[in-house]
Amino acid sequence: MLFSVRLRLLACTLCFLVSFQSAYSQTVPSFLKANPRWVDSVFNALTPDQRIAQLIMVAGFSNRSKGYEDSLMALIQTHQIGGAVFFQGGPIRQARLVNRLQTVVKVPMLIAIDGEWGLGMRLDSTVRFPYQMTLGAIQGRDDLIYKMGAAVARQSKRMGIHINFAPVADVNNNPNNPVINFRSFGEDKESVARKALAYMKGMQDNGLLTSLKHFPGHGDTGTDSHYDLPLISKNRQQLDELELFPFRKLIDAGASGVMIAHLNIPALDSTPNLPSTLSRRVVSDLLKNELGFGGLVFSDAMNMKGVTKYFPSGIADRMGIEAGMDVLEYTLDIPRAIAEIKQAIADGRLLQADVDARCRKVLAAKAWAGLDRYKPVNLMNLVRELNEPESNLINRLLTEEALTVLKNDKEPSGEPIIPVLNLSTKRIASVSLDAPNETYFQKMLANYTAIDHFNLAATTADTTVERIRNDLKQYDLLLVGVHLSNIRPAVQYGVTPKTVALLKELCETGKAVVSVFGNPYALDKLEGLDKAKGLIMAYQLTQFTEELAAQLIFGAIPAKGKLPVTVNSQFKLNDGITTPAIARLKYTIPEEVGVDSYFLTAKIDSLVKVAMEQKATPGCVVEMAKDGKVIFRKAYGTHTYEGLTPTKEDDLFDLASVTKISTSTLALMRLVDEGKFDLNKTMGDYLPDFKHSNKANLVWRDVLAHQAGLKASIAFWTATKNPDGTWKDHTFDDEKHGPYKVEITDNLFMHRKYRKTIFETIRDSPVSAKKDYVYSDLSFILYPQIVEKMTHQPFEDYLKQNVYEPLGATTLTFNPLRFYPLPRMVPTEYDSVFRKTLVWGRVHDEGAAMLGGVSGHAGLFGSSNDLMKLVQMYLQKGYYGGKQFVSPATITEFTRYQFPEKGSRRGLGFDKPTFKYSGNAPKYASPQSFGHSGFTGPFIWVDPQYNTSYVFMSNRVYPSRSHTKLITMGVRTNIADALYEAIRRGPTSNLASILMTP
């Protein structure tokens, strides 16, 4: 007997020492020290029944009827329940319900949520962060996961939520796990522990209680504890080495809460069919004593079959409290649970002192969460504030870091297929599987080059599949998106037999780059991936994964992620190929470059609204980039004041004089690089017909800087009219016939030899002896001749083949009616004197029209986005998409002030800010900046000091060029200044913390 007592004393001593040693090395949960005076005051005012009720969390739903809400109110008021865990609903509805519930309790309730990937896991209209499996693919950016936790904390507190049942600390080492799976950070225990710690601390450091789950580890089971009691048959050593590892790390780091799973683990408690939730050996002996955890111990939901299968509600709740639980979540029968716990105290199976201590712990948590100073949730601007742009940015950055390239075969050139290079040599199609309509993936792909889109869904008719199959044979590259609508293993991750068959067929073409938007374990269900040229695992089907996978394919962003799990022998843990970014435009939000999107958008919206109200333009497109990232792109208004056609982001506009720097200047820069064009030579050197003219000795540097004495312009068409208004011979005819082949309009055709007259008119025009700055079109009309002579190519072909197509700027073209439908183009002016029609789809400038629509001074059309690619190439010193188009030295030479000593603001071809502000450039533009404007309304500006590019598109000349308000109001430059102002304002405090990298 004495020996037995000594053994028990020794065991107790050893247990105490283990507990003391563990606790001594731990960070004690901070909430335990919160406002003891308030805790004592509240505790002393509670009845014994109310102290028990503080240990219970009722389930709450904000998407149910008023009758449900009234019954919930009555239940809470009757028993003075301590907390509620909310599930489905919406933010406004839940906030109203919580506010209502808090009015009927003496002690404010602790409000919880299962928000593993943020509020969006349970509430509509809120932020949905990536799944933990997605985060598991991220390498070395735990700071971003911490920032996600901080954002979840901010949003939860704004919603009146005090605890998030997250993070999941389970190690998912069973691919067939039906309940954890994508909710885990992966199968590597070190990675799971590190990432779970970052998420936990992000929340706790920002005032949100957390609960690690599902202790002691739910990762290695094929049974869902929602529907049955899983059996974990591992021995204690195996549990210590793997399952318990993350929990130990996070408990030592000061975890505020731990949730106990409904698991049967004989190695920890051999009692038959006993869930760990109800096991004293698991809850008290292992978690509290051995691991020294002093925070809040939560049960998993007490309505789950993992506990109710063998133990009815009420009894199970009492057994959980007896086992050492602090809080019972989702108790089904609250009156019975309270009665059972009271009876356990009366029977001596449970000490009142233990219940009181746990009640105090719950009250301390409430004080730490701010409930000692309770305020109802303010509904004003709630949804907007829950959807802060900073969270959008975190979402994007996390997704970008996770994207994983698993296959990247080389092309015949020896270059890997990802990122895609040499756009001009590839005909590209996108194919979205299981997506009946155009996808975010396809829309983003289209930003980079001309791509034809195909969509195949389970319902697609076989005849349509056959037609698409034949169509795809003509393409060099197939960008395939596999859009899996389900993430769970029970339904094969959304993989259908038709998806498998179609994907296999596409891969076997040897032309497919495949992006899988779904669970990584789905890779084991997809066939033919070994034949794919490239493979990207995106982990989820979201707008962010689709858009960023497309950007990765074209090298706007690099690939950095690695698989967080082993899928099969082909795809293993930590597989992942890094790929580079190659300086193509990235599409993101202003916050990524430290700009407040609310400020920038409001400022631009206001300026455009006033412009359209004043009829400065019927509509426009504004596009801005900073640091190589498009941060603003928006279409406004309509094509005409009378029409209903809305302006779209990809509409084609007449670029007018922006043509000068998009064609002639561009070509000359390339010729300078090739040593074929010397800026210090004369017009006579390169134009034989000018050798004996008054322009023979004009130096090209002077000419390009508009400093050579040339006339501003010549109205060539006026010389074709007789005094009576009829056309002179050999000029124009109303029908196309014989030599009258140059189409001006549908009913006006110019004699094909008249273009020679245009060049002779320029040659013979006067030259001013006074070499002051005079902006002139004339030389730019001549440059195509020089380019064609030196390159042995038509001017347009040279530009398209050497610049536009490699840039992916495929809409930059002359005479767009050859390639695009009329409704995609924005009309310009109703010409009542020369063409006597609405100019639509044809060049506005009369001289360019008489040159067949192809000139170096006007005539180019394009979308804002394609023009932005060219503009960005200029900003990047001639480099874009892995290719050097113009040398940095030449870009610098052409964009610098040429004759500042004469007061001239011009570069070579490019415009620059005046030395005293005049409105030709943005007010805040730096001296390094450059750009150009166009008569019909377009404007571009590049500022190397701020690393910004700006494109403005409009048709301000509609319906008449007499409409000059766009210019006199300074609309274009004022909008540019909005970006400068936004940059100068700098980021908000939350944004600044997100942009900081370790």
Side-chain angles (χ1 to χ4, degrees):
M1 179 68 177
L2 181 60
F3 179 71
S4 176
V5 170
R6 285 176 177 173
L7 278 178
R8 287 170 60 192
L9 287 172
L10 177 60
C12 288
T13 301
L14 287 173
C15 185
F16 170 77
L17 288 174
V18 169
S19 176
F20 177 79
Q21 184 178 13
S22 178
Y24 186 79
S25 63
Q26 291 173 357
T27 300
V28 176
S30 59
F31 77 85
L32 294 172
K33 304 172 184 177
N35 201 345
R37 292 182 63 182
W38 182 84
V39 171
D40 288 343
S41 173
V42 172
F43 175 81
N44 291 331
L46 295 175
T47 67
D49 284 10
Q50 290 169 351
R51 294 174 189 175
I52 294 172
Q54 286 296 305
L55 312 185
I56 294 174
M57 275 191 164
V58 66
F61 300 84
S62 61
N63 59 350
R64 297 189 179 178
S65 66
K66 185 177 184 300
Y68 160 80
E69 292 187 9
D70 290 343
S71 64
L72 182 63
M73 286 271 292
L75 179 69
I76 290 171
Q77 183 171 21
T78 299
H79 299 285
Q80 291 296 298
I81 297 168
V85 53
F86 275 85
F87 295 92
Q88 293 90 353
I92 298 295
R93 289 168 289 163
Q94 178 168 311
R96 283 182 176 144
L97 179 56
V98 167
N99 285 347
R100 187 180 174 202
L101 297 178
Q102 295 284 26
T103 65
V104 298
V105 290
K106 294 195 298 183
V107 184
M109 299 176 72
L110 196 66
I111 305 300
I113 195 170
D114 263 313
E116 295 165 20
W117 46 89
L119 299 185
M121 182 172 173
R122 298 296 180 184
L123 299 176
D124 62 40
S125 308
T126 57
V127 177
R128 187 182 184 91
F129 287 107
Y131 298 140
Q132 289 189 190
M133 183 70 77
T134 307
L135 304 179
I138 296 174
Q139 304 299 302
R141 288 303 308 270
D142 296 339
D143 63 300
L144 278 178
I145 299 174
Y146 176 94
K147 289 164 186 174
M148 182 187 95
V152 170
R154 285 195 302 273
Q155 293 157 18
S156 297
K157 290 162 65 180
R158 180 66 180 86
M159 267 297 298
I161 294 169
H162 314 107
I163 180 165
N164 186 14
F165 291 145
V168 172
D170 302 314
V171 180
N172 198 81
N173 56 338
N174 185 335
N176 297 315
N177 192 318
V179 62
I180 303 304
N181 202 286
F182 64 92
R183 297 164 65 195
S184 166
F185 287 108
E187 70 179 62
D188 180 85
K189 65 180 182 181
E190 295 277 0
S191 177
V192 169
R194 190 176 64 252
K195 294 176 188 296
L197 176 61
Y199 187 16
M200 180 192 83
K201 287 191 68 64
M203 290 186 282
Q204 290 185 182
D205 289 353
N206 290 276
L208 185 67
L209 294 163
T210 66
S211 178
L212 317 179
K213 60 188 186 185
H214 305 81
F215 186 86
H218 207 319
D220 192 6
T221 176
T223 303
D224 187 342
S225 53
H226 290 87
Y227 307 109
D228 205 344
L229 178 62
L231 173 67
I232 306 292
S233 57
K234 291 188 172 183
N235 61 41
R236 177 58 195 269
Q237 181 180 350
Q238 291 172 316
L239 293 169
D240 279 338
E241 290 178 354
L242 188 66
E243 276 78 4
L244 290 173
F245 180 85
F247 290 98
R248 288 183 189 273
K249 292 286 187 182
L250 273 66
I251 288 169
D252 288 348
S256 59
V258 171
M259 178 181 286
I260 310 296
H262 304 311
L263 303 169
N264 182 237
I265 312 173
L268 299 179
D269 192 326
S270 59
T271 307
N273 300 322
L274 184 69
S276 45
T277 336
L278 312 184
S279 168
R280 177 178 290 275
R281 292 178 183 175
V282 173
V283 179
S284 293
D285 296 345
L286 175 57
L287 177 60
K288 289 187 171 182
N289 296 331
E290 184 177 336
L291 300 187
F293 179 65
L296 287 170
V297 181
F298 295 88
S299 73
D300 206 342
M302 296 299 288
N303 70 325
M304 293 165 61
K305 290 294 184 181
V307 65
T308 61
K309 181 176 181 178
Y310 297 104
F311 301 92
S313 184
I315 293 174
D317 299 289
R318 181 255 298 163
M319 291 176 67
I321 295 295
E322 289 176 347
M325 208 73 65
D326 294 321
V327 180
L328 301 169
E329 180 210 348
Y330 206 151
T331 295
L332 284 176
D333 190 339
I334 290 175
R336 186 176 179 186
I338 293 174
E340 287 284 347
I341 293 168
K342 286 174 63 178
Q343 189 61 48
I345 295 171
D347 293 344
R349 299 193 305 275
L350 181 65
L351 297 178
Q352 181 67 49
D354 287 340
V355 172
D356 290 350
R358 295 176 203 175
C359 177
R360 286 179 177 277
K361 192 191 296 186
V362 169
L363 293 174
K366 290 184 175 185
W368 185 87
L371 287 172
D372 56 346
R373 305 172 305 280
Y374 167 74
K375 292 181 180 178
V377 180
N378 182 358
L379 301 183
M380 184 72 70
N381 296 322
L382 178 60
V383 174
R384 173 180 164 174
E385 291 173 19
L386 291 176
N387 290 275
E388 54 185 2
E390 291 86 351
S391 292
N392 186 333
L393 175 59
I394 293 170
N395 235 332
R396 290 171 178 270
L397 295 176
L398 289 168
T399 302
E400 180 180 333
E401 293 285 335
L403 294 176
T404 304
V405 173
L406 293 171
K407 202 167 188 292
N408 196 14
D409 290 351
K410 290 185 177 180
E411 296 197 88
S413 64
E415 295 286 349
I417 190 71
I418 303 171
V420 175
L421 301 171
N422 305 316
L423 299 182
S424 60
T425 65
K426 295 181 175 70
R427 190 170 185 193
I428 305 174
S430 76
V431 186
S432 282
L433 300 180
D434 287 337
N437 302 310
E438 186 180 31
T439 61
Y440 290 116
F441 179 60
Q442 292 172 315
K443 290 177 182 177
M444 183 56 70
L445 290 173
N447 284 328
Y448 289 98
T449 190
I451 297 178
D452 295 322
H453 303 306
F454 300 88
N455 294 73
L456 293 168
T459 56
T460 303
D462 290 343
T463 53
T464 303
V465 173
E466 181 61 25
R467 176 181 56 78
I468 292 175
R469 179 182 289 119
N470 290 326
D471 288 345
L472 292 176
K473 292 177 182 178
Q474 61 188 306
Y475 294 92
D476 306 300
L477 180 62
L478 306 179
L479 304 178
V480 181
V482 183
H483 301 260
L484 302 179
S485 59
N486 203 298
I487 200 86
R488 300 183 183 279
V491 289
Q492 300 293 298
Y493 309 107
V495 176
T496 65
K498 192 164 188 176
T499 303
V500 173
L502 289 171
L503 178 61
K504 182 179 180 183
E505 182 178 343
L506 291 168
C507 290
E508 287 176 346
T509 65
K511 300 186 292 186
V513 172
V514 178
S515 299
V516 179
F517 303 106
N519 193 311
Y521 290 122
L523 292 172
D524 194 45
K525 310 294 182 185
L526 300 173
E527 298 179 16
L529 293 176
D530 57 316
K531 302 287 181 60
K533 292 284 289 182
L535 176 61
I536 299 168
M537 170 43 62
Y539 299 99
Q540 295 180 231
L541 179 59
T542 70
Q543 181 175 347
F544 295 125
T545 57
E546 291 190 57
E547 291 180 346
L548 286 163
Q551 297 193 47
L552 186 154
I553 288 170
F554 284 103
I557 61 174
K560 304 176 186 177
K562 295 187 182 296
L563 270 182
V565 292
T566 294
V567 176
N568 53 30
S569 59
Q570 185 179 3
F571 304 112
K572 299 182 290 296
L573 175 68
N574 290 327
D575 279 356
I577 302 166
T578 58
T579 65
I582 56 172
R584 284 199 180 109
L585 286 167
K586 178 181 181 180
Y587 297 83
T588 184
I589 57 174
E591 279 68 20
E592 186 164 343
V593 296
V595 168
D596 183 340
S597 59
Y598 287 141
F599 174 84
L600 182 64
T601 302
K603 189 83 175 177
I604 295 173
D605 284 356
S606 176
L607 289 167
V608 173
K609 181 174 183 289
V610 171
M612 291 192 300
E613 287 175 347
Q614 294 294 315
K615 294 193 179 299
T617 181
C620 63
V621 177
V622 179
E623 188 161 355
M624 294 172 168
K626 185 178 187 314
D627 303 338
K629 303 171 178 68
V630 174
I631 59 169
F632 191 93
R633 185 179 172 202
K634 189 172 180 179
Y636 298 86
T638 52
H639 282 193
T640 64
Y641 295 110
E642 314 84 3
L644 299 176
T645 303
T647 307
K648 297 179 182 177
E649 291 175 356
D650 63 351
D651 280 341
L652 272 61
F653 287 79
D654 183 333
L655 300 186
S657 284
V658 173
T659 299
K660 293 181 173 70
I661 62 163
S662 305
T663 62
S664 299
T665 305
L666 170 62
L668 292 178
M669 286 193 289
R670 288 178 56 83
L671 294 176
V672 167
D673 280 342
E674 294 169 8
K676 296 177 179 178
F677 187 83
D678 187 337
L679 291 166
N680 297 312
K681 287 193 174 183
T682 67
M683 293 184 80
D685 290 325
Y686 294 123
L687 293 169
D689 288 348
F690 281 64
K691 280 187 176 180
H692 302 292
S693 74
N694 58 358
K695 301 173 184 64
N697 296 320
L698 297 185
V699 177
W700 287 113
R701 186 180 296 276
D702 296 333
V703 173
L704 280 163
H706 300 279
Q707 196 98 355
L710 295 177
K711 286 186 66 174
S713 63
I714 299 173
F716 300 104
W717 72 272
T718 58
T720 65
K721 285 277 190 177
N722 292 309
D724 63 358
T726 60
W727 300 115
K728 292 182 179 180
D729 292 341
H730 308 299
T731 58
F732 292 98
D733 203 328
D734 296 339
E735 294 183 359
K736 186 175 184 179
H737 65 92
Y740 295 91
K741 297 180 182 295
V742 181
E743 185 175 314
I744 307 298
T745 71
D746 291 343
N747 301 302
L748 184 63
F749 300 88
M750 191 183 79
H751 195 289
R752 59 182 173 81
K753 291 185 178 180
Y754 195 80
R755 62 184 288 119
K756 183 179 179 183
T757 303
I758 293 174
F759 296 130
E760 290 172 348
T761 303
I762 295 173
R763 182 195 63 193
D764 298 337
S765 64
V767 174
S768 172
K770 195 175 181 181
K771 306 301 184 186
D772 290 337
Y773 165 64
V774 175
Y775 177 79
S776 173
D777 281 345
L778 300 189
S779 72
F780 288 88
I781 297 174
L782 304 172
Y783 293 131
Q785 295 182 58
I786 296 173
V787 173
E788 290 176 357
K789 180 180 178 182
M790 292 183 174
T791 65
H792 308 291
Q793 277 187 285
F795 186 55
E796 182 176 21
D797 291 352
Y798 173 78
L799 291 166
K800 286 187 174 182
Q801 291 173 21
N802 291 283
V803 184
Y804 301 159
E805 290 173 2
L807 279 175
T810 54
T811 65
L812 295 183
T813 187
F814 295 100
N815 296 317
L817 283 172
R818 295 175 294 167
F819 311 109
Y820 300 100
L822 189 62
R824 190 169 170 188
M825 285 164 265
V826 180
T828 50
E829 181 182 18
Y830 184 84
D831 182 354
S832 60
V833 293
F834 171 37
R835 287 160 285 194
K836 300 186 185 304
T837 187
L838 175 64
V839 180
W840 187 7
R842 291 187 170 94
V843 59
H844 173 266
D845 182 90
E846 297 91 340
M850 294 170 71
L851 291 167
V854 180
S855 179
H857 78 294
L860 195 68
F861 283 71
S863 68
S864 71
N865 192 54
D866 280 351
L867 183 57
M868 177 62 83
K869 294 170 189 174
L870 180 63
V871 169
Q872 187 65 27
M873 182 267 282
Y874 289 153
L875 177 62
Q876 293 171 178
K877 296 293 185 182
Y879 182 81
Y880 188 89
K883 183 178 176 65
Q884 193 75 44
F885 291 89
V886 183
S887 72
T890 298
I891 292 285
T892 300
E893 178 63 22
F894 271 69
T895 59
R896 72 174 178 86
Y897 289 109
Q898 293 296 309
F899 301 103
E901 70 280 1
K902 295 182 179 180
S904 172
R905 72 177 194 246
R906 304 298 300 207
L908 298 175
F910 292 96
D911 199 4
K912 291 181 67 64
T914 51
F915 299 105
K916 183 178 180 181
Y917 178 69
S918 67
N920 79 299
K923 185 185 303 181
Y924 302 120
S926 76
Q928 292 78 40
S929 68
F930 56 92
H932 213 285
S933 61
F935 186 79
T936 55
F939 182 85
I940 70 105
W941 205 258
V942 177
D943 199 329
Q945 179 173 319
Y946 291 90
N947 207 15
T948 56
S949 304
Y950 166 53
V951 171
F952 177 91
M953 298 288 227
S954 83
N955 56 333
R956 68 97 187 165
V957 294
Y958 182 85
S960 166
R961 67 186 66 194
S962 64
H963 286 212
T964 60
K965 286 186 178 179
L966 189 81
I967 300 166
T968 58
M969 291 171 62
V971 174
R972 300 174 294 186
T973 53
N974 289 342
I975 290 173
D977 279 320
L979 177 57
Y980 286 102
E981 290 176 39
I983 294 169
R984 290 180 172 194
R985 280 169 59 92
T988 61
S989 57
N990 283 343
L991 180 55
S993 68
I994 293 166
L995 293 171
M996 290 175 58
T997 54

